[in-house]
Amino acid sequence: MNDPLYLFGLVPADTAIVPAGVGVDGTHPLERLELGDLTAIVSTIPRQEFVGPEAEERLRDLAWVGPRALRHQAVIRDLMDQGPVVPVRFATLFSDAENLRARITRHQAALSAFLERTRDQAEWSVKALHDRKSDLARITERTLAERATELTALAPGRRYFEEQKLRKAVESGLSTTLAEACRWLYERLSETATEACKVRLQAKEQSGLALDMAANWAFLIARSAPDAFKQTVDALSGPGNPGGLQLQMSGPWPPYSFSPRLDES
């Protein structure tokens, strides 16, 4: 059985984009596979690395996945620097060129429209961050202090019950405030973007950030307008929004969050 093809991304066939270097295995070279109006950037991958029970175990090993995922991203960034690209998710494999051709043909219209829509555009990430533990402690302390006279007059058991109710109310109120602030921010930031979408939240253990993530967004921004977008982000960060959320911006990235899914029928 032949080794599968590993797909990195798709580019317009009429561009002179030249993939450089090797694939995620560090051995097989990158190649162009012409598919009519589109060109797939692929490499052969040893079957045993990504297919079978042992491969499934490796794909759960961050030490193994990490350098290969970084190589995957580096290839797509290089393609993006040369022109428009449809970035494909890590570890997207096809049994052979004909299988790949059939899948691309099925999504031809959506892929071509995407390349045209994202020409001269890049994705920028914006995360809304806060210290939930610190915020809860601060608001709870203030709330209990405001009700101190009333609480002190209660019997110990009743006082404990009322304090717990107040703590729960503070937590619920904070969640509502943050949700409203996130909606407000998303609307303001979307006004300066070509497109916008919400991205899955990550816990601090996943994100590596010191603060909690209240929202995670992706914005499609014209390559000529990142400075204007950054100014908007800076102006809305912290005291610039109702929840006092800190905004963290990063990019430019290939437009992963807006790319058509090839695994959809």
Side-chain angles (χ1 to χ4, degrees), residues 122-254:
E123 179 175 325
W124 289 83
S125 166
V126 177
K127 294 173 172 57
L129 306 172
H130 72 121
D131 187 337
R132 186 172 184 84
K133 183 178 180 180
S134 176
D135 289 347
L136 278 174
R138 174 175 48 79
I139 300 171
T140 300
E141 182 180 1
R142 185 185 67 207
T143 302
L144 291 175
E146 291 171 350
R147 302 283 294 275
T149 302
E150 175 187 339
L151 292 169
T152 302
L154 299 174
R158 182 65 180 175
R159 176 177 178 177
Y160 174 81
F161 178 74
E162 291 298 327
E163 286 181 349
Q164 294 310 305
K165 281 178 58 178
L166 285 174
R167 292 178 188 278
K168 290 181 180 179
V170 166
E171 188 166 2
S172 176
L174 177 61
S175 295
T176 298
T177 297
L178 293 176
E180 292 173 351
C182 287
R183 281 194 294 271
W184 185 86
L185 281 165
Y186 186 64
E187 291 174 0
R188 301 289 86 72
L189 292 169
S190 296
E191 292 171 357
T192 62
T194 304
E195 292 184 41
C197 68
K198 298 176 183 179
V199 183
R200 182 175 57 86
L201 294 179
Q202 294 178 316
K204 285 191 285 189
E205 296 75 17
Q206 296 172 299
S207 68
L209 299 171
L211 297 176
D212 300 289
M213 198 179 297
N216 192 13
W217 304 303
F219 298 93
L220 202 59
I221 305 295
R223 288 178 182 268
S224 60
D227 290 343
F229 183 68
K230 185 178 186 304
Q231 289 175 5
T232 300
V233 171
D234 290 344
L236 294 177
S237 184
N241 68 79
L245 291 161
Q246 301 297 315
L247 300 183
Q248 183 185 84
M249 175 180 168
S250 64
W253 309 112

Side-chain angles (χ1 to χ4, degrees), residues 38-190:
L38 299 173
T39 294
I41 307 303
V42 301
S43 72
T44 303
I45 195 79
R47 174 171 294 276
Q48 67 273 15
E49 284 208 9
F50 282 90
V51 180
E54 292 183 1
E56 291 180 8
E57 288 294 325
R58 280 194 291 271
L59 287 169
R60 288 191 285 268
D61 181 0
L62 293 180
W64 186 88
V65 169
R68 290 162 177 80
L70 289 175
R71 176 59 188 156
H72 177 93
Q73 294 173 8
V75 170
I76 295 175
R77 286 296 297 265
D78 181 57
L79 298 176
M80 175 188 168
D81 289 342
Q82 299 182 63
V85 60
V86 179
V88 175
R89 291 188 303 168
F90 175 72
T92 298
L93 307 181
F94 292 87
S95 58
D96 53 42
E98 288 310 307
N99 184 273
L100 172 56
R101 189 182 305 276
R103 183 71 61 84
I104 298 307
T105 298
R106 189 184 313 159
H107 297 276
Q108 178 84 37
L111 292 166
S112 296
F114 173 81
L115 283 169
E116 185 59 34
R117 193 171 81 246
T118 58
R119 191 181 295 272
D120 298 323
Q121 305 277 331
E123 179 175 325
W124 289 83
S125 166
V126 177
K127 294 173 172 57
L129 306 172
H130 72 121
D131 187 337
R132 186 172 184 84
K133 183 178 180 180
S134 176
D135 289 347
L136 278 174
R138 174 175 48 79
I139 300 171
T140 300
E141 182 180 1
R142 185 185 67 207
T143 302
L144 291 175
E146 291 171 350
R147 302 283 294 275
T149 302
E150 175 187 339
L151 292 169
T152 302
L154 299 174
R158 182 65 180 175
R159 176 177 178 177
Y160 174 81
F161 178 74
E162 291 298 327
E163 286 181 349
Q164 294 310 305
K165 281 178 58 178
L166 285 174
R167 292 178 188 278
K168 290 181 180 179
V170 166
E171 188 166 2
S172 176
L174 177 61
S175 295
T176 298
T177 297
L178 293 176
E180 292 173 351
C182 287
R183 281 194 294 271
W184 185 86
L185 281 165
Y186 186 64
E187 291 174 0
R188 301 289 86 72
L189 292 169
S190 296

